[in-house]
Amino acid sequence: MLPISDYEVYIFDCDGVILDSNELKINAMANSLQRANISQKKVTQCVTYFKNNFGKSRFYHVNYFVEQILMLKGDFKKEIYTKILESYSSQCNALYLGATLTPGILDLLESLNGDVYIASGSAEDELRSVFEQRDLSKYFKGIYGSPEKKSNIVNLILKEYQKPKAVIFGDAFSDYEASVTNNIDFVGYLPFSNVADGMVTLSVDKNFKTINRWSEL
């Protein structure tokens, strides 16, 4: 790991990293499943999977729910898929507008001299709209999200440079995987992570850094 000021490209996840929105999104997904009249046992299974696999797109998650957990088929599968997805999406814009920033993130963003990006599992159009409304877009050269896979987003960002010194800040396995796949550094930001213990274990194996406050950088 380099000193934080030595990187040329900084890539941030959004949920749990820029915004304290992990718990809000978990509750929104649980609400959406309940509105689709899913049994509480199945809701719990779906939400547990959702929490442990943050960073993947909502389309991936809901498709996994209906196929692998709810085991639905045919037209009923399509109906429930659409119902869950529409309910969840309708809640996300409002929760993003109301979510608080992680403590100290603006100070960090203002201190960085390199190019700064977002690579998120959240819907790209939604993120760009909310960040514009919240006057946060000015901190980022690019804001990218689903349906593109996170590791692919990072790869596309890095292609704009000639082997840059780059780092990803994330709190989910998908962030770690994107860093390893693209052979760049990773910092695990843990205060709001759903899988903090796992992030610590993986980071130790790769000699990556984990932090609980942005001021630790």
Side-chain angles (χ1 to χ4, degrees):
M1 297 288 296
L2 300 172
I4 195 63
S5 59
D6 287 359
Y7 289 100
E8 301 164 292
V9 178
Y10 302 87
I11 303 172
F12 289 80
D13 178 37
C14 177
D15 296 306
V17 177
I18 300 292
L19 298 176
D20 177 9
S21 50
N22 284 354
E23 197 64 32
L24 296 174
K25 294 186 78 172
I26 290 166
N27 291 338
M29 185 59 78
N31 290 338
S32 300
L33 290 159
Q34 290 162 352
R35 290 173 184 175
N37 295 317
I38 307 301
S39 72
Q40 188 56 50
K41 180 180 178 181
K42 292 294 185 181
V43 168
T44 300
Q45 287 180 260
C46 291
V47 170
T48 298
Y49 183 85
F50 184 58
K51 289 172 66 174
N52 291 334
N53 291 274
F54 247 50
K56 296 180 184 292
S57 77
R58 67 190 61 177
F59 310 103
Y60 168 87
H61 277 115
V62 177
N63 190 65
Y64 184 91
F65 297 161
V66 297
E67 287 190 348
Q68 303 299 322
I69 297 178
L70 305 179
M71 306 293 285
L72 302 178
K73 304 290 184 183
D75 290 342
F76 189 56
K77 170 190 167 182
K78 294 178 183 177
E79 178 186 339
I80 297 299
Y81 172 90
T82 300
K83 190 170 185 176
I84 296 170
L85 192 59
E86 287 181 350
S87 175
Y88 180 71
S89 297
S90 69
Q91 296 175 74
C92 279
N93 189 67
L95 71 83
Y96 270 141
L97 289 172
T100 59
L101 294 166
T102 58
I105 187 61
L106 292 186
D107 290 337
L108 174 62
L109 292 173
E110 289 169 354
S111 74
L112 301 177
N113 293 319
D115 291 338
V116 186
Y117 295 87
I118 286 180
S120 173
S122 297
E124 184 172 285
D125 290 347
E126 183 178 271
L127 278 181
R128 290 178 176 178
S129 174
V130 168
F131 271 62
E132 188 67 32
Q133 291 178 71
R134 296 190 62 164
D135 197 30
L136 296 172
S137 298
K138 62 188 179 185
Y139 295 106
F140 304 97
K141 185 174 181 181
I143 297 173
Y144 302 104
S146 66
E148 189 63 76
K149 187 178 178 182
K150 187 170 294 188
S151 59
N152 293 343
I153 293 172
V154 173
N155 180 259
L156 290 170
I157 291 171
L158 297 177
K159 281 183 177 179
E160 296 188 26
Y161 304 85
Q162 293 295 321
K163 297 183 178 179
K165 298 172 184 176
V167 60
I168 296 177
F169 302 92
D171 69 334
F173 295 134
S174 60
D175 304 310
Y176 169 87
E177 290 163 1
S179 74
V180 172
T181 299
N182 288 283
N183 195 31
I184 62 175
D185 287 341
F186 174 77
V187 174
Y189 180 69
L190 304 182
F192 307 106
S193 175
N194 301 317
V195 288
D197 290 344
M199 299 306 300
V200 170
T201 299
L202 289 172
S203 296
V204 167
D205 289 343
K206 290 286 185 178
N207 201 29
F208 290 149
K209 187 178 183 70
T210 57
I211 60 173
N212 289 296
R213 293 176 297 278
W214 291 119
S215 59
E216 294 175 44
L217 293 172

